[in-house]
Amino acid sequence: MRRILTALLLLALAGCAQVSPWERDILAKREMQLDGAPLDAAFDDHIYFSKEASSGGRGFGGGGCGCN
Amino acid sequence: MADNDKRLGVALAAATCALLGSAKSPPAAAADDDDRWEIESALLYYGESDDRVQDASLSVNAKRDFGDGKALDFSITADTLSGASPSGAIALDGPQTFTSPSGDKVYTTPGGEIPLDDTFLDTRYAVTANWTQPFAGLYTVSAGASFSDEYDYTHAGGNVRLTRDFNHRNTTLSAALAYSQDESDPVGGVPVGLSRMPDVDDLSNRGGSETKDIVDVVVGVAQVINRTTVVRVNYSFSDSSGYLNDPYKFMSVVDPVTGDTIARTPPPGERGPSGIYRFDNRPDLRTKHGLYAEARTWLGGKVLNVSYRYMTDDWEIDSHTLEARLRWPIGGTSYIEPHLRYYTQTAAEFYRMSLVDGEPLPQYASADYRLAEFGGITAGVKFGHETAGGNEFSIRLEYYQQSGNVADSLLIGNQFNRETSADLNAIIAQFSYRFRF
């Protein structure tokens, strides 16, 4: 079942426009990277983990502190 | 404590050197990206109004690219934290006295305000390390470890992540697994759930230290849509088991009609609480599910980044988070990036304002404001500038505000006329410097 779903997903995604390696000038820029600001993200995850009941989503749940 | 101060001093000095040491680094343009360290260092200040939590944090992230996609990453963070935090007790018209978490003294809070516990002061160190490497053409594997230590809490964890590219690398599927074990070890031991706050020097309701295990799984897909847009969607699962209480939070036990805390007087010659309070007690299991979606798009030099997260768990907390950033270039080397974040959550099923005197104790109960229904808004701006040598400094300034909403069904008598949620206003200020050598 999982294999079928994965295959279907890949098929659907293959329908998106294909961007060739030589067309990746913009996508290669740092500001276009999905995890381009790791330190800001780590600070934010830590702050919101300490102050809100939900955490994670983008990556792991964060934590590792007995935050008050 | 002196030992702790010394360690903090060393960590702060090391991080400051890293923050400043970049002036000597050669221009980035002169060499390629491989075989060099990229260092990102940052100093963060987080400060809440009304003398609540203040945190100063230094963090250094070092990454070395060995070429062919192999990279080593590690980070070190030192935090120092002080200030007051809502204890969970309700506001009364007059002052209230509580036994401190360490059990060796009392503190008193003024009437008419939500009681805050101002006895905490902590220093925390955290390190992470991660290795990434591609294999078999389209796969990448990474493995990492994390460790953190503070006065009353220790965390140790490990994680692995596997990704595979498809469709000429326009699609990336990823799966990641993390496991961590944390230990809570407050001074005097953790209080037994729902036990009464005792007088000073009475540790009869305390146990030793307690642990919890957390398993996280994240599976996701990242997709290039066209030359200027990339999106990703993640599903996350998290399972926590073990000690999930907050050892410092407690609840007022109140009169069923007036809603005021039941008063008590410590025995002659003893110091102790001025009312009846009982400690937090949560289930020892929590399972969370999350869905996260993010898009990043290039708009003729500007970059728009939007994300949405939905989370739900078996404590009946559901949350929605919406976030947007717009990176706006100024000239060729600077940018300004406004940021907005909106968050809302429902209350945990066992959240309550107070316990009612004379009623049987519930199995689980907590008055921790973080388990209440509330909304949060963050608004901020970041300014960044790239130097001629290819290094970048940035300054970020944000304002975070939380406001709670306590359902009428949770209130009794006089509680309707008093402050019910300790709303939070905080400033986040960050200075970062990124360089290579």
Side-chain angles (χ1 to χ4, degrees), chain B residues 88-92 96 113-115 252 254 259-261 353-354 415 418:
Chain B
I90 60 164
L92 288 181
Q96 298 181 71
E113 291 177 17
I114 302 259
S252 304
V254 304
D260 289 341
T261 307
M353 276 295 285
S354 54
Q415 293 175 11
R418 301 195 185 112

Side-chain angles (χ1 to χ4, degrees), chain B residues 34-54:
Chain B
D34 297 347
D35 262 359
R36 297 180 68 195
W37 287 97
E38 179 176 287
I39 310 287
E40 195 179 357
S41 51
L43 179 63
L44 175 93
Y45 167 76
Y46 170 87
E48 297 176 358
S49 59
D50 304 324
D51 293 328
R52 286 174 62 179
V53 174
Q54 313 287 313

Side-chain angles (χ1 to χ4, degrees), chain A residues 6 9-10 13-14 16-19 23-27 29-35 37-40 43-44 46-48 50-61 63-68, chain B residues 38 40 42 46 48 57 85 120 124 148 150 153 155 166-171 221 223-224 226-228 232 234 286 288 296 298 309 311 319 325 327 341 343 345 369-370 378 382 396 400 402 430 434:
Chain A
T6 309
L9 176 74
L10 289 173
L13 293 173
C16 294
Q18 297 267 321
V19 177
E23 295 174 323
R24 297 209 174 200
D25 50 337
I26 289 168
L27 294 170
K29 288 177 187 288
R30 181 187 289 271
E31 55 266 37
M32 286 299 289
Q33 303 310 303
L34 289 169
D35 294 302
L39 219 50
D40 288 12
F43 277 136
D44 280 355
H46 191 65
I47 289 170
Y48 298 121
S50 310
K51 300 290 154 188
E52 298 172 350
S54 297
S55 63
R58 178 177 45 217
F60 297 123
C65 80
C67 313
N68 261 290
Chain B
E38 179 176 287
E40 195 179 357
Y46 170 87
E48 297 176 358
S57 186
S85 189
F120 90 102
R124 174 177 175 267
S148 77
E150 58 197 290
Y153 199 89
H155 153 86
F166 295 89
N167 300 334
H168 306 284
R169 297 194 192 273
N170 284 278
T171 306
V221 55
Q223 175 67 41
V224 169
N226 54 38
R227 272 189 74 176
T228 56
R232 77 167 146 184
N234 286 348
R286 185 179 182 190
K288 301 192 262 189
R296 202 169 272 255
W298 174 269
R309 180 186 69 175
M311 297 213 96
S319 75
R325 287 184 169 83
R327 188 186 190 276
R341 179 181 186 272
Y343 175 83
Q345 74 173 48
Y369 71 97
R370 292 165 300 186
T378 309
K382 179 177 177 181
R396 176 162 80 118
Y400 175 48
Q402 257 186 22
Q430 183 185 331
R434 191 181 67 223

Side-chain angles (χ1 to χ4, degrees), chain B residues 173-197:
Chain B
L173 294 187
S174 65
L177 174 72
Y179 170 76
S180 70
Q181 188 174 67
D182 292 12
E183 183 178 19
S184 183
D185 187 16
V187 185
V190 299
V192 171
L194 297 176
S195 66
R196 267 177 70 161
M197 180 183 286

Side-chain angles (χ1 to χ4, degrees), chain B residues 421-432:
Chain B
S421 52
D423 293 347
L424 182 149
N425 298 290
I427 293 279
I428 300 164
Q430 183 185 331
F431 176 76
S432 307

